DNA sequence: CTTGGCATGTAACGAGTTACATGATTTG
DNA sequence: CAAATCATGTAACTCGTTACATGCCAAG
């Protein structure tokens, strides 16, 4: 929960945005559904760590744009050097791999191909986001004092991880094709 | 939850074990605390997907060894080709990276080094587990019809992922050392 | 002699998801 | 003209963690 709250602050520190926009950016660090962030935003506003500007819109409900306050930035900076955070990973697909010996090879091949496609799709998305960032931010991307640097290096990490996942699928698939051709390690 | 339950079944399909032993093996697929598995084991036993042999022990509470039933194997095999499972990742460290521009470089360097060490430690653990597996199972490790194959390829994947995480930390650290020497991509 | 691992569980609480409610605008 | 995306939120429910309870054995 703590990490979840500070992820919102970290996102708002880089750029103001609506609850909906925040929700989309969360995925890179902390997966969640948009519902969860509404009550937190209220709480953060009460604690003066963020503030909200309401933009009236015709037809739609008002758009609420949240921004971080100086206090918010301080709270965030104070949290960062705190206790070590263990990453949480839960992946049902891996249980399926664990149980693969009970299944026919065709099912497993299909499963692995589906997974590979999933990551290939993600890779495409992240590649275009990086290209966008490069176009927008230019050289500041590689400057640790720029607010874009963090997102940039996280995107690069995600991309590499997804490439690895995809490579691993290819490697695993080779075992079912009788000819293990791909080197992995 | 569903994936969680089937992960238990997948582990028991490979090898019988106590609740405690299951809990330790869960980490590779689905991180959880041991408390959560006790009520599930009761439920699975009621549904005849697993059965339990109680071994009396002096001093300690009885050791309960759980094994999968034929019905359990069938249920597991039926689940595998089911709906695609999206992996869940939540990592507070990444939020810290997101917010890095608000912090002094020293803090970030320390954070990255700590993270790197964490993964290096995990790599060591998994390497010795793989060596153990290779010694125990030999050639059957690379045979998709062996019950060890699944765990083997999952361990290889974990190892690669952790190596990547560690490499990424080194890459990110280079930005703070003025000389980005490491190639990543 | 204390920390950590082995070993099993329950109860209370906090975190996270699903379903529901509502409605405009854009894309296929 | 249906589905997806933008957009905001509440309520009910399920999932997951922490705290508690108990006790042995081995290593440092």
């Amino acid at each position: 929960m703590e990490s979840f709250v500070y992820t919102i602050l970290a996102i708002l520190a880089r750029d103001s945005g609506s609850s909906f926009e925040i929700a989309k950016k969360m995925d890179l660090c902390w997966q969640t559904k948009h519902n969860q962030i509404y009550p937190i935003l209220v709480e953060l506003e009460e604690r003066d760590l963020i503030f909200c500007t309401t933009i009236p819109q015709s037809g739609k409900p008002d758009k609420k744009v949240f921004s971080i306050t100086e206090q918010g930035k301080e709270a965030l900076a104070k949290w960062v050097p705190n206790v070590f955070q263990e990453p949480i990973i839960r992946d049902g697909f891996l249980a399926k791999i664990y149980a693969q010996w009970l299944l026919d090879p065709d099912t497993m091949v299909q499963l692995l191909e589906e997974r590979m496609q999933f990551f290939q799709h993600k890779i495409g998305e992240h590649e275009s986001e990086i290209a966008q960032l490069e176009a927008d931010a230019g050289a500041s991307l590689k400057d640790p004092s720029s607010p874009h640097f963090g997102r940039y290096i996280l995107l690069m990490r995600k991309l590499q991880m997804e490439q690895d996942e995809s490579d691993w699928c290819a490697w695993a698939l080779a075992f079912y094709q009788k000819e293990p051709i791909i080197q992995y390690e």
Side-chain angles (χ1 to χ4, degrees), chain A:
Chain A
M1 189 82 219
E2 227 203 20
S3 295
F4 169 67
V5 172
Y6 285 101
T7 304
I8 295 175
L9 282 183
I11 288 167
L12 289 179
R14 182 170 167 260
D15 198 9
S16 302
S18 69
S19 45
F20 208 78
E21 288 164 335
I22 298 166
K24 273 186 295 176
K25 289 177 187 165
M26 293 288 291
D27 268 37
L28 213 52
C29 311
W30 198 271
Q31 282 180 29
T32 184
K33 311 284 162 176
H34 71 97
N35 315 270
Q36 210 180 351
I37 85 169
Y38 294 105
I40 306 297
L41 288 171
V42 172
E43 192 201 301
L44 288 174
E45 203 182 353
E46 278 166 7
R47 289 168 57 197
D48 291 316
L49 302 179
I50 61 173
F51 67 91
C52 170
T53 319
T54 307
I55 298 166
Q57 293 186 121
S58 52
K60 303 180 195 184
D62 295 349
K63 184 170 183 169
K64 288 175 153 190
V65 175
F66 294 92
S67 308
I68 198 163
T69 62
E70 279 308 310
Q71 277 178 69
K73 282 187 190 175
E74 278 165 35
L76 180 55
K78 211 180 281 173
W79 169 74
V80 172
N82 259 17
V83 279
F84 179 80
Q85 311 280 318
E86 271 218 45
I88 296 163
I89 298 175
R90 294 202 181 96
D91 196 340
F93 168 82
L94 304 180
K96 295 183 176 185
I97 294 297
Y98 213 108
Q100 59 76 43
W101 65 286
L102 294 168
L103 283 119
D104 60 302
D106 288 351
T107 305
M108 295 313 296
V109 166
Q110 212 193 311
L111 210 65
L112 284 161
E113 279 172 351
E114 193 183 24
R115 172 107 166 169
M116 204 168 153
Q117 267 167 42
F118 170 77
F119 283 113
Q120 284 297 326
H121 178 70
K122 290 270 178 189
I123 287 168
E125 282 180 350
H126 286 137
E127 270 174 348
S128 56
E129 207 192 329
I130 289 170
Q132 191 65 50
L133 249 186
E134 272 168 353
D136 291 351
S140 78
L141 266 195
K142 274 141 196 188
D143 173 13
S145 64
S146 151
H148 303 299
F149 179 74
R151 192 169 174 88
Y152 168 66
I153 63 172
L154 286 183
L155 280 167
M156 289 298 282
R157 177 182 163 280
K158 252 291 152 79
L159 199 61
Q160 181 64 33
M161 293 284 152
E162 286 159 353
Q163 192 57 59
D164 250 35
E165 287 272 19
S166 178
D167 289 350
W168 177 84
C169 289
W171 174 73
L173 275 166
F175 285 99
Y176 294 96
Q177 256 100 51
K178 302 228 161 162
E179 302 246 359
I181 12 157
I182 293 146
Q183 284 298 319
Y184 188 80
E185 209 171 347

